[in-house]
Amino acid sequence: MKHTSSTSAVPDAPRVPRHVAVIMDGNGRWATKRFLPRVAGHVKGAEAVRGVVEACVERGVEYLTLFAFSSENWRRPEEEVSLLMRLFVTMLEREVAKMHANDIRLKVVGDLSRFNEQLQAMIASAERKTADNTRLTVTICANYGGRWDIMQAVNSMTAQGGQPAGGYTEEQLAPHLAMAYAPEPDLFIRTGGEERISNFLLWQLAYTELYFTDTYWPDFGAASLDEAIASYQQRERRFGRTGAQLAEKAS
Ligand code: IPE
Ligand code: IPE
Ligand code: MG
């Protein structure tokens, strides 16, 4: 199914979020609090992913998108960056077969050209292997930036030529976005206490419900996900309309 990422149509507001997007933050602080090196937090954080993936499958979430490495994270100490890359490789080696057995599709989005060839090949092979799985789509955003995504979409759209007289529309841009295969996120979660977007899905979060928690990512599990979903279920998603209009539609 093609999802038009556009604010001109009113999307549905499913009771269980179809698409959950997460900024997995707080690994470093989790470790520092325990007098451990920051990398220990990343290892623990990578382990936490599995529990949340399982919980999403059980709850009927269709898309889970995880911010693993931002285009700005290259600014970190070289040692930490290289550990994160190695961890990514290990996770692919360890988890892809299991994901495939559980009918989970894996996608990796971002500017992958900056990764080494071995990692790029592993990503391509994991995506190919799981391409037809339908139970849950897990997207890892790696070397991803929301502005990078919009710019690459603009460049890809305009490269086709033939600019329409009235200018391009949202509907024309949307299919060029890195996650055009997914509906826009219903629920955004950021762990670790910061309340910012940090250049995550800028276009796609236009009408997403935002949820922030102080819990550090390594401590985030099924129960934390349920709290986030419960908060989401309390929200009134108006998409520009009034509360009265929504009540009328529901009656
Ligand atoms: C998130 O945890 C993981 C990545 C950004 C790769 P952090 O490493 O940002 O943890 P804090 O924010 O320093 O605690
Ligand atoms: C955002 O976390 C990116 C990821 C979780 C991958 P950061 O820890 O890098 O964000 P800032 O720098 O605090 O905004
Ligand atoms: Mg952080």
Side-chain angles (χ1 to χ4, degrees):
M1 195 192 350
K2 200 97 203 126
H3 301 279
T4 57
S5 176
S6 164
T7 44
S8 61
V10 179
D12 341 312
R15 198 170 148 67
V16 172
R18 279 184 79 190
H19 184 174
V20 177
V22 187
I23 297 187
M24 309 183 288
D25 196 18
N27 292 350
R29 282 164 287 160
W30 180 92
T32 304
K33 211 177 88 182
R34 289 166 175 76
F35 306 102
L36 295 168
R38 289 178 56 84
V39 297
H42 294 314
V43 171
K44 201 75 186 163
E47 286 168 15
V49 169
R50 194 182 308 142
V52 173
V53 168
E54 278 167 17
C56 282
V57 168
E58 284 162 11
R59 283 148 189 77
V61 171
E62 294 170 49
Y63 298 86
L64 172 66
T65 300
L66 302 169
F67 203 6
F69 192 86
S70 77
S71 39
E72 290 71 37
N73 286 144
W74 297 106
R75 295 173 189 155
R76 294 191 176 197
E78 207 182 303
E79 208 184 271
E80 181 167 340
V81 170
S82 81
L83 178 281
L84 285 167
M85 294 301 144
R86 264 181 288 142
L87 199 54
F88 196 4
V89 170
T90 312
M91 286 297 283
L92 287 170
E93 280 168 351
R94 251 205 335 235
E95 300 297 324
V96 171
K98 279 183 227 160
M99 290 176 88
H100 187 48
N102 287 309
D103 197 17
I104 296 170
R105 171 167 70 151
L106 181 69
K107 302 280 276 178
V108 180
V109 305
D111 181 2
L112 305 185
S113 67
R114 207 155 155 198
F115 295 132
N116 71 38
E117 278 174 27
Q118 179 210 9
L119 185 48
Q120 289 188 44
M122 287 183 81
I123 290 169
S125 135
E127 287 191 334
R128 239 184 349 259
K129 186 180 168 95
T130 62
D132 296 327
N133 296 342
T134 57
R135 193 130 182 237
L136 170 71
T137 298
V138 174
T139 302
I140 305 292
C141 294
N143 194 20
Y144 179 88
R147 290 192 182 174
W148 164 83
D149 194 1
I150 294 170
M151 290 316 300
Q152 68 77 27
V154 167
N155 288 325
S156 150
M157 176 180 71
T158 54
Q160 295 176 344
Q163 183 182 346
Y168 290 105
T169 62
E170 288 182 31
E171 288 76 7
Q172 284 169 307
L173 182 81
H176 298 275
L177 291 164
M179 291 194 62
Y181 54 85
E184 292 179 2
D186 299 295
L187 171 62
F188 159 98
I189 299 171
R190 182 172 186 145
T191 63
E194 311 296 350
E195 301 191 353
R196 56 179 171 249
I197 305 289
S198 300
N199 199 16
F200 194 26
L201 303 158
L202 296 178
W203 175 283
Q204 298 86 341
L205 293 176
Y207 266 107
T208 303
E209 297 298 331
L210 307 180
Y211 178 85
F212 298 94
T213 172
D214 289 337
T215 304
Y216 294 139
W217 175 253
D219 292 327
F220 192 92
S224 322
L225 179 71
D226 284 338
E227 277 172 41
I229 293 177
S231 165
Y232 165 84
Q233 288 172 340
Q234 301 299 313
R235 316 279 179 95
E236 187 175 60
R237 302 188 73 191
R238 292 192 282 269
F239 299 107
R241 296 162 299 177
T242 66
Q245 285 175 300
L246 285 185
E248 199 176 302
K249 208 175 132 236
S251 65

